[in-house]
Amino acid sequence: MELLKSKYRFVKAIPALLSPIYLFVVFGISLGVSSLSLAQMQIEISGVGQSLYPIAVTSFVAENNLPSKVTDVVRSDLVNTGKFFNIDPGSTVQGISETPDLSFWSARRAQALAIGDVKSLPGGMFEITYRLYDTVKKESLGGTTVQVSTQDLRRAGHAIADDIVQRLTGERGIFSTRLSYITKNNKQYQLMISDSDGQNSRVALTSIEPIISPVWSPDGKNVAYVSFETKKPVVYVHELATGKRIVLANQKGNNSAPAWSPDGSKLAISLSRDGNTQIYSLNADGSNLKRLTAGSAVDTEPQWSRDGRSIYFTSDRGGSPQIYRMSSDGETFGNASRVTFKHSYATSPRISPDGKSLAYIARSGGYKLQLLDLKTGDVVGLTQTNHDETPSFAANGKFILYATRIGSRNVLAAVSIDGSVKQTLSIPGSDVREPAWGPFMN
Amino acid sequence: MSTNFFFKNQALVRRFAFFALALMTVGLTACSSGVKLDDVDENAKSGSNSSGSVDSKFANQPWNDPKSPIYNKSFYFDFDSYTVKSSDQALIDAHAKFLKANKNYRISIQGNTDDSGTSEYNLALGQKRSEAVRKMLSLLGVPDAQMEAVSFGKEKPKSPNADDAGRADNRRADIAYQ
């Protein structure tokens, strides 16, 4: 058994062809599951912090009965946090019926150990049970059981990784959440839905016209977006499970920038039906349209505050675009106040899940992702790239996903809110843009 | 090939059945891979009807006649500018005159930006350009019902944004007759 040395600490690229996920995809197609996308996301992680938590995840008993290894997903998720370091378990297979030799694992510098069993259930289902141990204190930390079908094996891996992170760090894991993003290949645009690691992607919409600004409903069941399929920007709400769509707003002129209210009952959008782009709210079924801003400049990119009382938005009423805040009932219920001051150009406001910070894009050399502490007013630039766009917080608030450009390629990137861990997610041969990180699903 | 001949031959029938089955499979596959929007025709695909492009459906229309005063349908804007250039006044006049004389035609005015800046804000800026053209036409008496100002923002660049010339080409509003 060998320790994986520090190469994990800097850059880990998973070549698509060697990725266990690729094998799963091939298998999936032979089973007739054809909705998986062949274009696989590649992840590169860098700038990992100094003190990585060493953990060993052994192979689970009877895991070989599965078409793909659940523990590969668990280990990959843990590495992607930038906080864990996988101790190579070698060929060890460890089940939960025997007490593991914790001294053996602590001698190999693993501070935690995850072991498990896979049981086949009738109807092609599997039950996966895992247990977590503290090898230093020599105690059990608990575990969980997940029942899944063959198609959902990655979900089981994500659920176990979430449980490990929760038990070891106290933070809620985000591996079971999903991403949406737009790919562009030649002249074809696709709205994609994938796992949080960019794998297991499915096509939700294909169009020869652009699609922008996808946003998740708070319950994770719908995505609202702007599609140009009728030669103008129109806002749709798309139910992911059924593929059913409604036109949320198709007023004369532009319809864009959808944002869900925290309870999911309403959306704020931008319309240009009165000439200039202004912010409106309406019910999630498209009824009860109300104008919220009352200016002669551009007001767009509304974002609800977490308590639903305010709306943050981009406006160039002061000459250059800056972020402002107003009552969610509209500007006439109190003046809008300016929120950003540091840069001459600030757009794309996004509120963190705890409501305490605001991510936005500022012109500062290039267009760069910023994080504003709403209490202190401190602003931190989180990136060194020049074409950052469309920030989106992970559901636990620890990472921000955004679109950027590396060389001439459009890719997605994620950065931890302290700026220490960065991931790049790219699809070979494809432009990837307009990402949105989905909510917790339960 | 007549239907009669087609079904006389057992092998062909079997082949047809297989083909139908294959088609069904393709159909099912398409269902499981999300919503696919119907392809629109090539004319619509090329986007804006900017100057020089000929829309076959309207091939005989004056806006597709190089000798017509409304053949040019593109208005270019300076960097960070949202006002129609004074040199374009004659072109605005020509389109206004045509629209007032031909009330059954509608136009979409499509604003565009270069690629500097973020998507949604650029969408609003492109709309400022199409709105500037719409307002001038409106002042000349073109009814609102005949016009719609929309924007593609930076999403549909006509030229690559690789250099100044390309970016200048994308700071534009086009009139598309419908």
Side-chain angles (χ1 to χ4, degrees):
Chain A
M1 201 171 312
E2 240 197 90
L3 282 177
L4 283 178
K5 299 236 174 68
S6 58
K7 62 184 169 188
Y8 260 108
R9 292 174 188 238
F10 300 106
V11 171
K12 182 174 183 281
I14 305 167
L17 283 172
L18 300 178
S19 158
I21 306 320
Y22 179 82
L23 298 176
F24 173 55
V25 168
V26 170
F27 199 90
I29 282 170
S30 69
L31 289 173
V33 182
S34 53
S35 60
L36 291 163
S37 165
L38 275 173
Q40 286 300 296
M41 189 80 88
Q42 293 188 348
I43 303 176
E44 209 169 275
I45 178 164
S46 64
V48 170
Q50 281 80 30
S51 54
L52 294 175
Y53 191 98
I55 182 171
V57 180
T58 69
S59 290
F60 292 174
V61 168
E63 196 177 357
N64 287 339
N65 296 342
L66 303 175
S68 68
K69 289 191 74 178
V70 167
T71 51
D72 284 340
V73 176
V74 177
R75 288 187 208 101
S76 159
D77 279 350
L78 292 173
V79 165
N80 285 346
T81 61
K83 289 194 170 145
F84 290 89
F85 169 65
N86 281 304
I87 302 289
D88 185 355
S91 55
T92 310
V93 178
Q94 176 84 54
I96 59 169
S97 52
E98 289 168 54
T99 312
D101 180 358
L102 296 177
S103 309
F104 175 86
W105 292 102
S106 65
R108 269 145 197 83
R109 297 201 170 79
Q111 290 180 28
L113 173 72
I115 59 174
D117 285 354
V118 175
K119 236 167 51 187
S120 296
L121 301 178
M125 298 285 287
F126 292 98
E127 183 179 273
I128 303 165
T129 304
Y130 104 100
R131 292 280 175 269
L132 185 65
Y133 291 89
D134 183 325
T135 62
V136 182
K137 292 185 189 155
K138 307 272 186 295
E139 61 185 24
S140 167
L141 297 175
T144 193
T145 299
V146 194
Q147 287 187 358
V148 288
S149 61
T150 314
Q151 294 98 305
D152 287 335
L153 281 172
R154 299 196 89 249
R155 216 180 68 200
H158 293 317
I160 290 167
D162 278 336
D163 196 77
I164 290 173
V165 166
Q166 173 92 53
R167 288 174 194 282
L168 291 178
T169 70
E171 278 168 18
R172 195 162 174 190
I174 44 169
F175 308 118
S176 301
T177 62
R178 289 167 297 163
L179 312 180
S180 68
Y181 50 87
I182 309 295
T183 59
K184 189 190 174 202
N185 273 305
N186 298 317
K187 286 197 166 165
Q188 181 175 270
Y189 296 82
Q190 292 191 306
L191 170 65
M192 309 295 294
I193 307 295
S194 77
D195 288 3
S196 62
D197 55 4
Q199 308 295 323
N200 202 24
S201 57
R202 287 166 163 77
V203 182
L205 179 71
T206 300
S207 177
I208 55 162
E209 295 293 341
I211 307 163
I212 62 168
S213 307
V215 278
W216 292 81
S217 62
D219 64 5
K221 289 180 179 161
N222 298 286
V223 171
Y225 52 79
V226 178
S227 168
F228 291 74
E229 65 203 59
T230 57
K231 316 299 282 177
K232 60 174 277 189
V234 170
V235 180
Y236 298 81
V237 171
H238 189 124
E239 190 180 26
L240 294 174
T242 61
K244 262 172 37 190
R245 309 194 299 161
I246 63 157
V247 172
L248 183 78
N250 184 14
Q251 302 272 330
K252 197 167 183 177
N254 285 1
N255 304 257
S256 71
W260 297 85
S261 66
D263 67 2
S265 67
K266 286 193 277 190
L267 289 98
I269 54 170
S270 296
L271 302 176
S272 70
R273 62 177 206 170
D274 293 323
N276 58 323
T277 301
Q278 292 286 288
I279 295 169
Y280 295 72
S281 71
L282 74 181
N283 293 342
D285 62 2
S287 65
N288 200 20
L289 185 71
K290 273 192 267 192
R291 183 165 166 172
L292 299 184
T293 50
S296 56
V298 166
D299 294 328
T300 187
E301 298 190 296
Q303 278 289 304
W304 247 282
S305 67
R306 291 295 152 184
D307 63 8
R309 286 190 182 143
S310 310
I311 286 179
Y312 292 83
F313 61 102
T314 304
S315 175
D316 60 9
R317 57 187 62 193
S320 72
Q322 295 294 339
I323 292 155
Y324 292 77
R325 191 181 68 160
M326 65 176 168
S327 159
S328 54
D329 292 324
E331 273 196 274
T332 47
F333 293 83
N335 290 333
S337 54
R338 186 169 159 181
V339 175
T340 51
F341 294 94
K342 193 179 171 184
H343 303 93
S344 63
Y345 179 111
T347 64
S348 309
R350 301 290 190 275
I351 297 291
S352 63
D354 65 8
K356 291 177 180 165
S357 342
L358 181 90
Y360 65 94
I361 305 297
R363 189 162 58 208
S364 171
Y367 294 87
K368 292 182 163 73
L369 174 62
Q370 313 289 326
L371 189 62
L372 165 68
D373 183 323
L374 288 168
K375 204 170 175 188
T376 65
D378 290 344
V379 181
V380 186
L382 293 178
T383 63
Q384 282 81 47
T385 36
N386 288 323
H387 296 90
D388 301 347
E389 282 206 52
T390 344
S392 176
F393 277 94
N396 67 359
K398 301 293 174 190
F399 273 88
I400 302 171
L401 179 69
Y402 57 102
T404 192
R405 211 179 290 167
I406 291 178
S408 58
R409 296 184 61 203
N410 288 304
V411 300
L412 305 187
V415 60
S416 59
I417 51 169
D418 62 2
S420 67
V421 182
K422 289 194 170 83
Q423 290 177 16
T424 309
L425 299 94
S426 59
I427 299 176
S430 233
D431 261 358
V432 205
R433 47 177 78 186
E434 302 284 326
W437 208 321
F440 288 126
M441 288 306 289
N442 45 46
Chain B
M1 191 190 301
S2 77
T3 337
N4 230 356
F5 170 79
F6 197 81
F7 286 103
K8 247 187 267 174
N9 186 321
Q10 279 299 312
L12 267 182
V13 170
R14 272 201 300 275
R15 198 177 295 172
F16 177 75
F18 175 79
F19 185 55
L21 196 69
L23 267 182
M24 276 168 62
T25 315
V26 168
L28 286 173
T29 311
C31 287
S32 65
S33 58
V35 178
K36 251 194 181 100
L37 301 172
D38 290 342
D39 268 19
V40 286
D41 64 39
E42 283 301 315
N43 300 320
K45 217 184 239 185
S46 67
S48 52
N49 300 320
S50 52
S51 51
S53 74
V54 173
D55 189 326
S56 60
K57 195 165 80 181
F58 294 125
N60 301 321
Q61 296 295 346
W63 60 85
N64 285 326
D65 174 3
K67 283 178 248 144
S68 154
I70 59 165
Y71 180 65
N72 185 354
K73 295 173 284 293
S74 293
F75 300 84
Y76 292 88
F77 292 76
D78 290 334
F79 177 74
D80 209 20
S81 167
Y82 309 93
T83 46
V84 179
K85 292 177 181 173
S86 54
S87 54
D88 280 333
Q89 185 64 53
L91 188 55
I92 291 277
D93 291 344
H95 284 283
K97 196 176 155 196
F98 179 81
L99 285 164
K100 283 193 287 180
N102 296 276
K103 301 270 193 230
N104 51 330
Y105 290 121
R106 289 186 78 252
I107 56 166
S108 167
I109 310 159
Q110 300 158 344
N112 296 272
T113 68
D114 63 28
D115 73 340
S116 54
T118 53
S119 294
E120 281 285 355
Y121 185 61
N122 276 26
L123 193 67
L125 293 181
Q127 203 275 337
K128 276 171 87 169
R129 291 188 170 137
S130 60
E131 178 65 11
V133 172
R134 192 200 66 79
K135 264 192 184 135
M136 290 186 78
L137 291 170
S138 179
L139 285 172
L140 292 169
V142 179
D144 283 350
Q146 264 178 287
M147 305 184 283
E148 181 178 20
V150 300
S151 172
F152 297 148
K154 63 173 181 173
E155 310 307 323
K156 290 168 73 78
K158 187 174 139 198
S159 296
N161 283 292
D163 55 24
D164 287 344
R167 284 188 287 272
D169 208 20
N170 294 331
R171 294 192 288 269
R172 195 182 76 254
D174 297 321
I175 289 180
Y177 280 87
Q178 294 172 335

